[in-house]
């Protein structure tokens, strides 16, 4: 029973960090105010029927800046969507951080269950908790306020999990869409991670392919 439901535990095991996040509210992080301002401006443009403002005229003291030509926007879009449900901007930002933390933990549980014995959930659960409490992840939340990079960290285990299944499972086609969508989500979440991560991902998938007897159909996928 626990082996099948172990994915339910990470949200509860993340409660200490989530309670700290919502108790301290928005900390004086390095980039937090910048991301709040950008999200507020994005929502303002939505309300004026501009869904993707490539040029944001209010930035740079009114001179304007093509922010979304260069900066991946999905964290702002998620935060803005939560704000439109009635939450304050600060509450929406905290909820986005919380979602990313828990999503990263769940992704790590899924990936680790494939790596370890699926009938014994505790190694995978430990990996998921360790990921949610990783010092760099928490530094990005509480010190840097780097919401886009936290979003990227949430996606990485899901990319590795779906990529592994694409290589190792017989019915590879079902895993092509999750792999493509999670990798595509990384492209619209954090540009720097998108630059750094693919060489590691490619090496990991080629190593898996070689370990599995280097069957050519899997490499084709």
């Amino acid at each position: 029973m626990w082996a099948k439901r172990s994915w339910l535990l990470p949200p509860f095991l993340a409660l200490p960090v989530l309670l700290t996040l919502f108790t301290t509210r928005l900390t004086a992080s390095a980039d937090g105010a910048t991301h709040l301002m950008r999200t507020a401006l994005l929502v303002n443009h939505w309300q004026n029927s501009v869904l993707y403002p490539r040029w944001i005229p209010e930035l740079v003291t009114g001179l304007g800046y093509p922010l979304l030509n260069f900066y991946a926007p999905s964290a702002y879009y998620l935060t803005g969507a939560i704000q439109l449900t009635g939450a304050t901007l600060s509450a929406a930002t905290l909820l986005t951080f919380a979602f990313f933390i828990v999503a990263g933990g769940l992704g790590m549980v899924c990936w680790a269950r494939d790596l370890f014995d699926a009938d014994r959930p505790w190694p995978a659960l430990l990996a998921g908790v360790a990921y949610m409490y990783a010092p760099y992840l928490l530094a990005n939340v509480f010190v840097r306020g780097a919401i886009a990079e936290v979003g990227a960290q949430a996606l990485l285990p899901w990319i590795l999990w779906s990529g592994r299944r694409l290589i190792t499972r017989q019915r590879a086609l079902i895993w092509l869409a999750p792999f493509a969508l999670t990798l595509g989500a990384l492209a619209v979440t954090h540009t720097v991670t998108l630059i750094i991560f693919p060489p590691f991902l490619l090496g990991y998938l080629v190593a898996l392919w070689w370990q599995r007897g280097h069957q050519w159909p899997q490499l084709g996928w």
Side-chain angles (χ1 to χ4, degrees), residues 38 41-42 45 53-60 63-68:
R38 291 174 177 178
L41 290 173
L42 178 63
H45 281 277
R54 295 171 64 184
W55 181 271
I56 300 182
E58 298 89 347
L59 292 176
V60 195
L63 296 175
Y65 186 73
L67 174 70
L68 299 189

Side-chain angles (χ1 to χ4, degrees), residues 163-176:
R164 187 181 192 281
R165 292 203 160 199
L166 187 66
I167 295 294
T168 60
R169 298 298 170 111
Q170 291 299 322
R171 299 176 64 190
L173 184 59
I174 5 176
W175 300 105
L176 184 60

